[in-house]
Amino acid sequence: MKGEGKMVMKSKLKWVGLVGLVLSAFSLFVHFLLARFTEEGIAEYQSSVTIFSWRPVFENPDFAKNNPLYRRLWGPVRRLESLHPDANPRGYYPDPRSESSGYVFVRIQGGFHEIRNSICDVVVISRLLNATLVIPEIQSTTSSKGISSQFKSFAYLYNEDQFMAALVKDVKVVKTLPQNLKGARRQKKIPSFKVPNSASPYFYLHHVLPVLNRHAVVELVVSNGGCLQAILPPNLEEYQRLRCRVAFHALRFRQEVQELATKMLNRLRAPGRPFIAFDPGMTRDALAYHGCAELFQDVHTELIQHKRAWMKKRGIVKGKLSVNSAKQRLNGSCPLMPEEVGILLRAYGYSWDTILYVSGGEVFGGQRTLTPLHAMFENVVDRTSLSAAWELSRIYGREVNLVDTKLRAPPYVVREKKLEAWKNAGPRPRPLPPPPPRLKYPYNIEGWWGWVAESDNEPESTVMELRTNAHKLLWEAIDYVICVEADVFIPGFDRDGKGRPNFASLVMGHRLYQSAASKIFQPNRKEVVKLLEENREHLYQANHTWLTSIRRHLRRSLIDGVMQASTKSKRLSFLSHPAPECSCLRYDLTQGSLHASSPSTQAPVEAVLGVMHRCPKWMDSEIKTKWKDKEIEEDLDEDVSSSSGLFFRNSGGNQESGGGELIKEDSQLDDQEELEAAD
């Protein structure tokens, strides 16, 4: 009886275990089935449980948006509120002709801002030549660079279908060459042009077009961040607006990249507060080109000098190899350090709990350079603190593992046997033979700087480095979206490693086109360095006079920076300043209130920027509903009296950092300074 009872008990336990396994398997199946067929899918479920490193810290959870201080820090620039985007054709602009001159195939080399400039240029060139444009090939995103085969070339970064659909009335665009021309290209039988930077329309009409008519296809190799001059003749002004349509409407990032950027932007705005975007612009190429090596220490200086020597050999740098970096900094030729930008923002009145987004795939000097900025602002974030690792991996696609994770023993050093003659030589002591040369093991010279003392040339990029360069394009695409949408933008530097406008310049151009009145601080580096040097010993305990000087300079830079970009940056890159060709003026229909009462305040901006085209009537109709609120806001602007608060303070309550004193702004800093900025 006991044996039978045990058998029955065991059989029951087996059935219970079997039923449990079946139910577990069924529940998992239902779970994945529901996740698969829901609207958002598994990815959205993962994002809802993602744990992020950023935890915002605020002194006061209630953020007032209706006080004068908020308007001074985050409000729009009044003198630019009448500028609005208008890139539509304004004259006779026919659709592309059915008969094409041939195919234009383009290979583009360079970084994010160079690729974006080049794509806009090749579209204009195709329209100029009445040619069919083949989707450009981005060299740093080809499959040979170790990236995922899921995305190829142009589609790795941008949305091909959106690009083709947006330009259907401007130029014919196809994804690939016809089969017969594909074979000719593989055999290198099609004519190729290595296009010079900023080539004129004459070059294409008199050198490229005849070859295109004879062979029905040409290949353009663009490697300098632009293949058409930025300033075109007045009769080609419609081509400038075509550039705007390409840059600001046709070029949309790949869906996965755009979705992640939007998610990160929503996470930034989740606390319900505005934020500042800061682009340091501190790349090794830019620092080497402008001679700013001595601003750093140790191996960083050596790396910059090594790069400058390499650039000098290739004719990129025309000046001397050794440059006085202190003098370059005083002349405004070097970027503002993150610490200096932090001081400017705190001096202007931004509190320690302001959200500050730091963009850039590379900040030369690493986190040590950003440490002072983290000390001034509690909520300093970047793409890594706003996204999970799996989210970034998702936009890369499926990639082959290039990292050998297996631990290997260091290579065995075979000791050279001593020569028999030396062994059998005369009595000791005798001189020892010279030691053999030191063996160079790969693990000894690997790294981002280990090769500096080994060779005068830059090392060849490994497959992993090529893949990282492709990833940087995606990182910068995310940064680009966030910087354009930020409430305030401030660049640390606006030039790249060739002396041309960089990533920050493209962001400022896009913001000028999309929302001209949004705040963009463009401090004059020469004047800022002078102000910083005057108060070098008391930067963290600044007096009222110095604070007032900094604030006035930053307020004036909101207008002066735009005016200077129209003369300095635009001649090198049209996208850095697309006004007046792609902007229009919108006035109050009643011609009353602010603008009618003070017409002289707007005249200088319009005269310098040259924006005289009136916006279409459908834009003017939108202003009626907003004008009443606008008048109330303008009255508040005139009443801004003072902004009190600590200059430097940590998150520890009322304690001041570094013995900083309580500094209050006693005088009135009203918007009259802004109105007088360009006088």
Side-chain angles (χ1 to χ4, degrees), residues 168-234:
V168 67
K169 293 186 177 181
D170 297 296
V171 65
K172 290 183 179 180
V173 184
V174 295
K175 290 190 176 182
T176 59
L177 287 168
Q179 288 297 329
N180 59 330
L181 295 179
K182 275 185 179 180
R185 179 179 171 267
R186 291 193 192 100
Q187 299 173 9
K188 298 183 179 180
K189 292 183 179 180
I190 65 174
S192 178
F193 291 86
K194 190 169 183 180
V195 186
N197 180 262
S198 300
S200 65
Y202 180 90
F203 170 81
Y204 293 100
L205 292 173
H206 292 81
H207 293 83
V208 178
L209 184 59
V211 178
L212 180 63
N213 289 329
R214 287 197 302 269
H215 296 84
V217 61
V218 293
E219 180 182 39
L220 303 181
V221 181
V222 184
S223 59
N224 291 319
C227 52
L228 184 66
Q229 63 187 39
I231 307 298
L232 296 177

Side-chain angles (χ1 to χ4, degrees), residues 203-264:
F203 170 81
Y204 293 100
L205 292 173
H206 292 81
H207 293 83
V208 178
L209 184 59
V211 178
L212 180 63
N213 289 329
R214 287 197 302 269
H215 296 84
V217 61
V218 293
E219 180 182 39
L220 303 181
V221 181
V222 184
S223 59
N224 291 319
C227 52
L228 184 66
Q229 63 187 39
I231 307 298
L232 296 177
N235 62 318
L236 299 179
E237 186 174 310
E238 287 297 342
Y239 290 90
Q240 299 287 55
R241 280 186 279 277
L242 175 56
R243 274 173 162 163
C244 292
R245 292 196 292 276
V246 177
F248 309 132
H249 299 280
L251 285 179
R252 288 287 183 268
F253 297 116
R254 178 160 47 91
Q255 182 179 356
E256 295 84 355
V257 179
Q258 191 71 38
E259 288 177 354
L260 180 56
T262 303
K263 284 182 182 179
M264 294 171 62

